[in-house]
């Protein structure tokens, strides 16, 4: 029986936190690190992307523009919304879109992905697609990708709590304005991909493990990471190469029947254990 619990409160996992509750990467021997936490969310008022009509996509984007207008007026967020919808008052040029893609801010052309196309998720491209970017570029929301929303917080820093807490606050603010996110009392947040069901969350950091990636292969790193409940990816995500200096993207694998607070703790613990294995290698 599946009974997923949604819980962001780090106080409930105090026994897994360092003294003071701060998930400080400097305590693990790391310096300033690329940290990222994201969630996939869908609005309860609309069908999932694979079942949406073109009008659904346009209406959903219009609803989200109202949310982004409020965020833009809020000094804690600011920023801009960039739309790919032809004729939208927020439409950007093809050249600027490609700049956003190369800057890892916007998602790639979904129509070129045969899997998303066959699932109906890429239908009506590029209508109803866009991206909100905060003034500090550390908070980004994709609109109309695999899920209605891909909400992300990223930062180069040393304290995981900072991106985790900001994401939680941002999700609360957005849901209050946009209306309820699709959520099941048994399965958690409803997502297009079954592997994201539950928290819809992925928390990751970039770390250097040159010994475990010697020769440019991540096989040894993955073998060490799997029993720790971690996934190892290239710097650009799945199916991308590891960094020449041994930099990889590390994240907890679980999404379902694990709480949000547990995921961020699992990431911290996993980094600690992986760094210990790196020293032994």
């Amino acid at each position: 029986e599946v009974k997923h619990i949604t819980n962001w409160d780090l106080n409930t996992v105090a026994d897994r936190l360092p003294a003071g509750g701060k998930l400080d990467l400097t305590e693990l021997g790391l310096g300033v690190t690329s940290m990222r936490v994201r969630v996939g969310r869908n609005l309860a008022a609309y069908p999932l992307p694979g079942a949406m009509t073109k009008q659904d996509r346009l209406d959903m984007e219009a609803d989200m523009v109202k949310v982004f207008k409020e965020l833009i007026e809020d000094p804690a967020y600011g920023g801009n919304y960039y739309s790919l919808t032809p004729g939208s008052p927020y439409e950007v040029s093809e050249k600027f879109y490609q700049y956003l893609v190369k800057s890892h801010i916007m998602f790639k052309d979904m129509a070129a992905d045969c899997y998303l196309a066959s699932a109906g998720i890429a239908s009506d491209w590029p209508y109803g697609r866009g991206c909100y970017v905060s003034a500090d570029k550390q908070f980004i929301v994709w609109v109309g990708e695999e899920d209605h929303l891909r909400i992300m917080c990223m930062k180069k820093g040393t304290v995981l709590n900072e991106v985790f807490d900001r994401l939680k606050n941002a999700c609360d603010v957005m849901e209050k304005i946009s209306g309820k996110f699709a959520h099941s009392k048994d399965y958690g947040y409803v997502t297009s991909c079954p592997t994201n069901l539950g928290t819809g969350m992925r928390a990751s950091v970039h770390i250097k493990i040159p010994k475990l990636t010697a020769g440019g292969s991540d096989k040894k790193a993955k073998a060490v990471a799997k029993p720790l409940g971690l996934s190892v990816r290239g710097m650009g995500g799945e199916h991308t190469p590891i960094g020449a200096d041994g930099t990889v993207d590390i994240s907890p694998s679980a999404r379902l029947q694990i709480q949000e607070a547990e995921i961020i703790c699992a990431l911290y613990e996993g980094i600690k254990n992986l760094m210990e294995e790196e020293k032994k290698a």
Side-chain angles (χ1 to χ4, degrees):
E1 183 181 347
V2 176
K3 189 65 177 178
H4 181 85
I5 296 172
T6 297
N7 174 39
W8 292 72
D9 187 359
L10 288 175
N11 291 320
T12 62
V13 289
D15 59 320
R16 296 178 63 177
L17 298 174
K22 185 185 290 187
L23 297 167
D24 189 346
L25 298 177
T26 62
E27 296 295 324
L28 306 182
L30 299 176
V32 173
T33 302
S34 176
M35 310 179 295
R36 176 187 295 250
V37 186
R38 62 84 166 154
V39 292
R41 293 289 185 265
N42 289 286
L43 301 180
Y46 290 94
L48 288 175
M52 293 178 87
T53 64
K54 181 178 178 180
Q55 192 59 50
D56 285 334
R57 300 184 198 281
L58 292 172
D59 291 345
M60 192 272 289
E61 183 186 26
D63 283 347
M64 290 312 303
V65 164
K66 297 172 187 175
V67 176
F68 299 138
K69 281 182 176 179
E70 292 201 30
L71 291 183
I72 290 167
E73 292 171 2
D74 185 339
Y77 297 98
N80 294 281
Y81 178 66
Y82 305 112
S83 177
L84 302 184
T85 299
S88 165
Y90 302 94
E91 183 184 6
V92 296
S93 66
E94 176 64 21
K95 183 177 180 180
F96 189 70
Y97 166 60
Q98 292 301 333
Y99 161 76
L100 292 174
V101 171
K102 288 178 182 177
S103 301
H104 305 290
I105 293 173
M106 180 74 92
F107 48 95
K108 297 177 182 179
D109 181 347
M110 295 170 65
D113 188 314
C114 62
Y115 298 106
L116 294 179
S118 65
I121 292 172
S123 298
D124 310 306
W125 174 268
Y127 290 88
R129 274 71 176 204
C131 177
Y132 163 78
V133 185
S134 67
D136 63 7
K137 294 183 172 59
Q138 294 178 4
F139 175 57
I140 294 174
V141 183
W142 289 353
V143 176
E145 201 235 6
E146 184 179 295
D147 291 303
H148 295 161
L149 307 172
R150 186 60 59 89
I151 308 170
M152 299 169 273
C153 282
M154 66 284 294
K155 182 179 183 178
K156 287 189 176 181
T158 59
V159 181
L160 290 174
N161 307 60
E162 293 174 358
V163 284
F164 182 79
D165 292 343
R166 190 180 193 193
L167 181 63
K168 169 65 167 69
N169 292 335
C171 285
D172 288 346
V173 169
M174 289 181 63
E175 187 171 24
K176 186 176 180 181
I177 304 168
S178 68
K180 285 289 183 181
F181 295 145
H183 186 274
S184 161
K185 63 182 178 63
D186 293 324
Y187 300 103
Y189 287 101
V190 179
T191 54
S192 291
C193 181
T195 62
N196 282 322
L197 196 65
T199 60
M201 175 181 283
R202 184 171 184 271
S204 66
V205 296
H206 285 176
I207 62 172
K208 293 179 184 178
I209 45 174
K211 293 179 182 177
L212 291 174
T213 56
S217 171
D218 60 7
K219 286 184 179 179
K220 190 172 183 180
K222 286 183 175 179
V224 170
K226 190 172 182 179
L228 300 175
L230 299 175
S231 294
V232 178
R233 300 183 180 186
M235 292 176 65
E238 276 188 300
H239 313 303
T240 61
I242 59 178
D245 59 356
T247 298
V248 294
D249 178 286
I250 300 293
S251 66
S253 307
R255 306 278 189 272
L256 184 63
Q257 289 192 292
I258 184 172
Q259 299 171 20
E260 288 80 359
E262 292 173 333
I263 286 179
I264 202 71
C265 289
L267 177 60
Y268 188 79
E269 294 160 358
I271 295 167
K272 179 182 178 181
N273 293 330
L274 197 60
M275 295 305 291
E276 288 174 355
E277 292 298 324
E278 168 72 7
K279 290 177 183 177
K280 296 176 189 175

